[in-house]
Structures are given as C-alpha cells and as structure tokens.
Amino acid sequence: MRHLVNIITVVMFSVLSTSLLFTGCTKQPKEIEQVKEIVFPVTMYVKKDAPPFKQGQSVSVLSIDGDLAITQEGKIPLSNLEEQRSTFRLTINTQPSATIRILNIKPKYSDGMWLSPGQYHIQITQPGYKTYEKWITVDNDITLNIQLKISISKANGTISWLKEEHLFSTGDRIWYYAEDEAEKMNWQAATEYCRNLDITTYGYHSSDFMLPTDTELLQLYRNKPLIVAPNIYWTSTTDSEHESYAKYVNLGSGANSWYKKYGKTYTMCLQQLHYPEKLSLQELASALFDQEMSREISLVLIEEKPSLNQRALDALQMALFVKYGSPLIRNVAYNAEKRELTFDLISQNHDEKGVPYYQKKVTLEVENSDAQAMRSKLTDPNFTPIVEFKVTEGQLSFIGI
C-alpha cells in the first residue's frame, strides 16, 4: 500500500512540474521563425567570375543542393549569388589616346570596370582637346560615347591680323565689295555676282553672299566703315510698282533713291553670320572651329587635312577678323631725337559707344633716314599692315607689326 502511495505521489509531482512549465514560468516561449519558401526556378545574379559564370550574369536556379545552387549552366556556390545586383559595369568610349579618370575613387579606370551604385566624377583629357568632366549616376550598366572637342587655346604659333582685300566685317556681318571702275555692273549682274561669289580666307570657305537691302546698306553707312570708298552701291530693294527700278545707297552721304536696273554702278555683297553677339574671341574661334557650329555661321572649313595646329590657328585668325574687323593705323608721329616712330593701332569695329574693340600705342625704332618713307607707308590708306599675335592658353599677346 505504501508503495502505491509513493507511485501516485511521483506521478502527481510529474504532472505538476509539467504544469509549471506552461503556467508558472515567467518567460514567454520564443516565436517560431517564418522560413521563406523558395519557389523554383528563381533568378539570381553572380557576384564574381567563376567560369562558366561571369560577374553580373543572371542565372536561373532550378534547385538547391546543400551549399550549391543547381542551374542549367552547372553548379555554383550559393555564397556567389545575390538576389539583386550590387555592382554595375561602366564603359567609356572616346579618343584612343585620351586619359580617363574617376576623380572621387582610388581605383584607376578600366573599360568595363565594376562599380557599386552611386555617383562618380569622370574626367577625360587629351592634349589639344578640351577637358571633359561630368558627374554620372551608376545604377545600371552604363556605356558612354564621348567625343572630345578640339581646344583652340592649345594652338602654338602666331596669328596674323591683316586687311583682306575687298573684304571686311561689321559685328555679325561680312561684306565683300567690288568698286573698281571696270567692275561697275547693272542690277541683275550685281545680284548674280553676289549669288555666285565664292571666296576663301583663313582656311574658311564662304559662298552664301547676297545683295543687301537698302536698310542694311544704310546701317553700314551709319557704322561708317573706314576702308570702303564713298561710292554708290546697288541694293536688293526693288519697287513693287515699277519692276525696272531698284534702290541704291551712297555710302559717302547716306543718300538713297531709285535707279533703273539697266544702269551700272558698284556692288556690295553681304553674308549674314549667325552667332550670339558679345562672344569673346576665344569663344568665337571655338565656334568657327566646331564643325556643327560652322554651318550656323555660314563658314565652312576647307577639308584639306591640314595639321590640327594649323586649323586651330586658322580659326583664331578668322575669329580675330570677324570680331575686330581690319587693323587701322592712326596718329602716326616721328620723334627724331629718340628716333621713334609712334602710331595707334586700332580695330575697325567698335562698340555702341564708338570705342574700338582693340587699341594699342605702338612704338618702332626707326633711323632718321628711313623715317619719312616709313611714315608715308603707314599713312597710305591702301597700306595693309600685318599684325602678329602669340597665342598662349587662349590669350593674345601682341608681337609686332
């Protein structure tokens, strides 16, 4: 009987002990973790090259065998796969000899290099070309095709500023005139003359001239170009009621009226240039030298494959002519005691206030015996000075005349 009681006691203690586990314990049981069920096949991405698998490649995982993923291409460790790509490829195509840098990271650039998502500051440099810099965002595979622009400021050599025969510029226009007595022509001939005019200067080919209107010629008169003779010139303005008449403008007095088209007088041809006003010489040279911009300004670079440096110098020379016009010499004086000949070298073109865009006092050492001849040459209106400048990082430095 005593043994039976002991057995019952033990059983009861066991039951109570078990009850304490569920009712008397202060700790709550841990929640059961939810295991994500994988539905095969599933697409994953390779972290690094492991032949036949390549970094960034997407693979279709068919099943998992321990630490390995089973794919159609073969087995690959699960540790070399990720659900979302963590790196992307960057490829930059540019000039073969250009140097490519990523400025905000230490690793050197290489074609198709792998980068983590983020922003990167790329820089491309090559002698003779403008430096290209840009911040880019990498969040996918990127291929950039970048064509560097030629840098005019890297040209080495001298450029000449001189009068072009029968050619001058006024702000946004280039003019060509025929004023020899033998070149007088009737209105129809003048119109065709301008339409067929084909000239080359500073390596640039121009062929889209036209006969100006009376308004355009009167504006030219008000600008008072100093290198044009005060003659009477045809305009393209015609009388709608009297087709046999066209207007002329006297560039000496500004007088203008109608003239029979079969009559003969002088011809002035106009070419419109289309570029923003107030361009610096450097910007204008860059615009002239750029192939796409050249079409907009009605000047086409002759493609005879000259050296890169010579083409840059040609662009600078043309830009100097377009912006400043022709060089003019004024206030010639000679100091016999110092044996110095002085004069002002000024630009034909000027700003709204009439101030020349370029003006420099030039002093030359001249012997007394040569002074008179030199002075006569400099004061001759037909004298064409050739002014030389040195180009240093886009800046013009006067050399001589």
Side-chain angles (χ1 to χ4, degrees):
M1 184 67 177
R2 180 180 296 175
H3 289 294
L4 180 59
V5 171
N6 289 338
I7 292 172
I8 294 172
T9 303
V10 171
V11 171
M12 291 178 65
F13 180 79
S14 298
V15 171
L16 289 173
S17 299
T18 305
S19 300
L20 287 174
L21 292 175
F22 292 96
T23 61
C25 184
T26 57
K27 286 188 177 182
Q28 297 296 324
K30 291 184 179 180
E31 296 181 0
I32 299 176
E33 294 182 359
Q34 296 294 325
V35 178
K36 184 177 180 180
E37 183 179 357
I38 301 176
V39 179
F40 296 102
V42 62
T43 300
M44 301 187 76
Y45 299 89
V46 180
K47 293 182 182 179
K48 60 181 179 179
D49 289 346
F53 302 97
K54 294 183 179 181
Q55 183 174 351
Q57 175 186 348
S58 64
V59 295
S60 181
V61 179
L62 305 177
S63 64
I64 295 176
D65 182 9
D67 294 334
L68 297 176
I70 310 302
T71 75
Q72 290 182 342
E73 292 85 358
K75 298 180 180 180
I76 181 173
L78 277 173
S79 58
N80 196 19
L81 295 177
E82 56 188 355
E83 293 184 15
Q84 300 293 332
R85 284 182 60 183
S86 58
T87 56
F88 301 98
R89 302 194 75 170
L90 173 64
T91 302
I92 300 176
N93 299 319
T94 186
Q95 275 86 342
S97 56
T99 300
I100 304 174
R101 298 182 180 90
I102 303 180
L103 302 180
N104 61 326
I105 61 174
K106 287 185 178 180
K108 292 183 178 180
Y109 170 82
S110 60
D111 287 341
M113 72 182 301
W114 292 93
L115 295 171
S116 300
Q119 290 191 323
Y120 296 89
H121 190 188
I122 63 172
Q123 180 192 74
I124 306 175
T125 58
Q126 182 175 350
Y129 291 81
K130 293 181 180 179
T131 297
Y132 178 94
E133 286 192 20
K134 185 179 182 180
W135 281 90
I136 63 170
T137 299
V138 173
D139 55 9
N140 209 331
D141 290 340
I142 296 178
T143 298
L144 300 177
N145 297 303
I146 300 172
Q147 185 71 26
L148 296 180
K149 292 186 176 181
I150 295 170
S151 174
I152 303 301
S153 63
K154 298 300 182 181
N156 297 312
T158 59
I159 63 174
S160 299
W161 179 33
L162 68 159
K163 290 181 181 179
E164 289 287 344
E165 187 175 3
H166 300 301
L167 192 72
F168 65 97
S169 69
T170 57
D172 60 347
R173 297 168 181 175
I174 286 183
W175 302 83
Y176 188 92
Y177 58 96
E179 60 178 14
D180 293 340
E181 187 69 24
E183 292 179 314
K184 282 186 176 181
M185 58 190 79
N186 61 38
W187 183 86
Q188 185 62 40
T191 301
E192 294 177 0
Y193 177 83
C194 291
R195 185 183 298 127
N196 297 326
L197 186 59
D198 196 311
I199 64 172
T200 299
T201 181
Y202 295 123
Y204 286 83
H205 176 225
S206 305
S207 60
D208 54 347
F209 286 86
M210 65 184 68
L211 201 63
T213 65
D214 59 333
T215 301
E216 290 167 332
L217 268 187
L218 285 170
Q219 184 178 354
L220 177 63
Y221 162 73
R222 287 189 289 271
N223 288 336
K224 296 190 180 301
L226 301 178
I227 64 173
V228 180
N231 292 328
I232 294 174
Y233 295 89
W234 279 118
T235 78
S236 62
T237 305
T238 58
D239 189 341
S240 58
E241 296 182 359
H242 302 87
E243 295 184 358
S244 60
Y245 284 83
K247 262 195 172 182
Y248 69 84
V249 171
N250 187 326
L251 287 183
S253 64
N256 60 96
S257 188
W258 300 101
Y259 190 41
K260 290 185 177 181
K261 290 183 178 180
Y262 61 74
K264 290 187 178 182
T265 189
Y266 297 101
T267 301
M268 179 79 67
C269 301
L270 167 65
Q271 181 187 64
Q272 297 282 359
L273 299 176
H274 306 290
Y275 60 82
E277 294 182 5
K278 299 182 180 179
L279 277 177
S280 69
L281 179 62
Q282 191 63 32
E283 290 170 329
L284 181 54
S286 298
L288 284 166
F289 197 56
D290 187 279
Q291 288 296 319
E292 294 182 3
M293 286 291 292
S294 66
R295 290 193 292 272
E296 295 182 15
I297 57 175
S298 306
L299 291 166
V300 181
L301 185 66
I302 294 178
E303 294 294 347
E304 292 182 352
K305 303 299 182 183
S307 69
L308 181 64
N309 189 66
Q310 186 56 51
R311 293 177 70 191
L313 293 175
D314 286 344
L316 281 167
Q317 288 177 317
M318 189 64 194
L320 186 67
F321 171 72
V322 169
K323 183 174 180 63
Y324 294 110
S326 296
L328 305 176
I329 294 176
R330 297 291 182 268
N331 305 320
V332 180
Y334 183 70
N335 187 319
E337 184 178 347
K338 294 183 178 181
R339 296 182 179 179
E340 290 181 344
L341 185 109
T342 61
F343 59 89
D344 292 329
L345 176 65
I346 65 176
S347 62
Q348 169 206 325
N349 293 343
H350 48 73
D351 60 20
E352 297 82 358
K353 297 181 180 179
V355 178
Y357 286 127
Y358 185 90
Q359 186 165 359
K360 180 179 178 61
K361 177 72 73 174
V362 179
T363 301
L364 302 176
E365 293 184 6
V366 178
E367 295 295 330
N368 292 333
S369 57
D370 300 325
Q372 184 58 42
M374 181 69 77
R375 184 170 183 172
S376 297
K377 176 177 288 188
L378 291 174
T379 54
D380 184 350
N382 296 320
F383 173 63
T384 301
I386 300 176
V387 185
E388 288 191 336
F389 294 89
K390 183 179 179 181
V391 186
T392 307
E393 294 299 322
Q395 299 298 318
L396 298 177
S397 303
F398 179 80
I399 296 178
I401 182 171

